[in-house]
């Protein structure tokens, strides 16, 4: 069990550019989540996969955000045409059915 | 939507002191989890506790689902306990997402 792995750890991009983050969950976990966290706040739900199916997407997620989990393994989160308001820590988490949720170290995005 | 409220928002303790953190939620939930976010930002799962009481070393948690609250007890606090403690609840609407509270920021002084 190597834990949830996220890459990159940090990303600095210019407004208007596209960025993609990767998450590798714990291998036997079928559920995968993306959250966003800004300074002083709790994590905010973005989207959820069970195996390869994206079952829920937050209403807060604009059309510029898209996530995939091909073959039910790793997942990617893409943000198109980044805005300064997208600056945040993006967290990935995984679990196996009704079991504790485990988080990765996150990807910190800074949009300049 | 469901409200998850944590108290106190901030807490300062002297090393060795005990504390109780509270999480209130406004609707029925499938489960509740407690997390610790250390000063480096890593979120660690402390307890998966839909109901009842669990203990893990100096930490213990109790959830009373019928009264919609959970408590996290920290005994003999250490400086390494510093950070932010979050509770998160899973709604009873067949949605598996966890909704987080705004956290309790704990500072343990040596």
């Amino acid at each position: 069990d190597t834990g949830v792995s996220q890459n990159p750890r940090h990303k600095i991009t210019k407004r208007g550019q596209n960025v993609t983050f990767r998450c590798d969950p714990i291998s036997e976990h079928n559920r995968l989540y993306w959250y966003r966290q800004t300074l002083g706040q709790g994590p905010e739900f973005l989207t959820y996969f069970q195996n390869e199916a994206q079952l829920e997407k937050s209403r807060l997620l604009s059309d510029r955000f898209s996530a995939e989990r091909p073959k039910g393994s790793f997942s990617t989160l893409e943000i198109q045409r980044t805005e300064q308001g997208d600056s945040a820590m993006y967290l990935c988490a995984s679990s196996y059915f009704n079991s504790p949720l485990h988080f990765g170290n996150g990807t910190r995005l800074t949009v300049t | 939507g469901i409200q998850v409220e944590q108290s106190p928002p901030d807490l300062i303790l002297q090393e060795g002191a005990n504390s109780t953190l509270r999480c209130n939620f406004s609707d029925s939930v499938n489960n509740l989890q407690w997390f610790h976010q250390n000063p480096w930002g890593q979120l660690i799962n402390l307890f998966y506790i839909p109901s009842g009481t669990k203990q893990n070393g100096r930490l213990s948690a109790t959830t009373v689902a019928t009264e919609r609250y959970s408590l996290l007890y920290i005994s003999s606090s250490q400086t390494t306990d510093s950070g932010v403690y979050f509770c998160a609840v899973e709604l009873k609407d067949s949605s598996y997402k966890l909704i987080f509270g705004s956290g309790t920021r704990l500072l343990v002084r040596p």
Side-chain angles (χ1 to χ4, degrees), chain A residues 34-46 86-91 103 105-109, chain B residues 37-38 41-43 84 86 100-103 105:
Chain A
W34 285 98
Y35 282 82
R36 177 172 63 189
Q37 187 177 26
T38 53
L39 198 62
Q41 303 296 315
E44 176 185 45
F45 171 80
L46 294 180
D86 297 332
S87 294
M89 177 73 85
Y90 289 84
L91 297 163
F103 279 87
N105 288 324
T107 294
R108 181 168 298 283
L109 174 66
Chain B
Q37 189 164 41
N38 65 25
Q42 176 65 40
L43 273 161
V84 185
F86 292 103
F100 281 75
S102 55
R105 186 175 304 274

Side-chain angles (χ1 to χ4, degrees), chain A:
Chain A
D1 177 359
T2 56
V4 179
S5 176
Q6 290 189 248
N7 288 288
R9 290 296 307 276
H10 304 275
K11 179 71 176 179
I12 300 174
T13 191
K14 292 185 177 180
R15 186 166 53 93
Q17 297 295 305
N18 300 342
V19 295
T20 300
F21 310 140
R22 178 180 171 121
C23 171
D24 288 273
I26 294 172
S27 58
E28 66 269 22
H29 285 184
N30 62 332
R31 294 180 178 173
L32 187 146
Y33 302 78
W34 285 98
Y35 282 82
R36 177 172 63 189
Q37 187 177 26
T38 53
L39 198 62
Q41 303 296 315
E44 176 185 45
F45 171 80
L46 294 180
T47 191
Y48 156 69
F49 291 84
Q50 182 157 301
N51 299 314
E52 67 275 9
Q54 186 175 19
L55 297 186
E56 189 164 352
K57 187 175 176 180
S58 169
R59 291 190 301 268
L60 301 173
L61 218 57
S62 76
D63 290 343
R64 298 184 296 106
F65 288 72
S66 63
E68 295 182 342
R69 192 184 181 195
K71 302 179 183 179
S73 56
F74 71 92
S75 176
T76 58
L77 177 68
E78 181 183 16
I79 309 174
Q80 296 182 328
R81 304 181 303 281
T82 52
E83 302 172 356
Q84 287 189 322
D86 297 332
S87 294
M89 177 73 85
Y90 289 84
L91 297 163
C92 178
S94 70
S95 70
Y96 181 72
F97 290 111
N98 296 322
S99 69
L101 194 63
H102 294 274
F103 279 87
N105 288 324
T107 294
R108 181 168 298 283
L109 174 66
T110 302
V111 182
T112 61

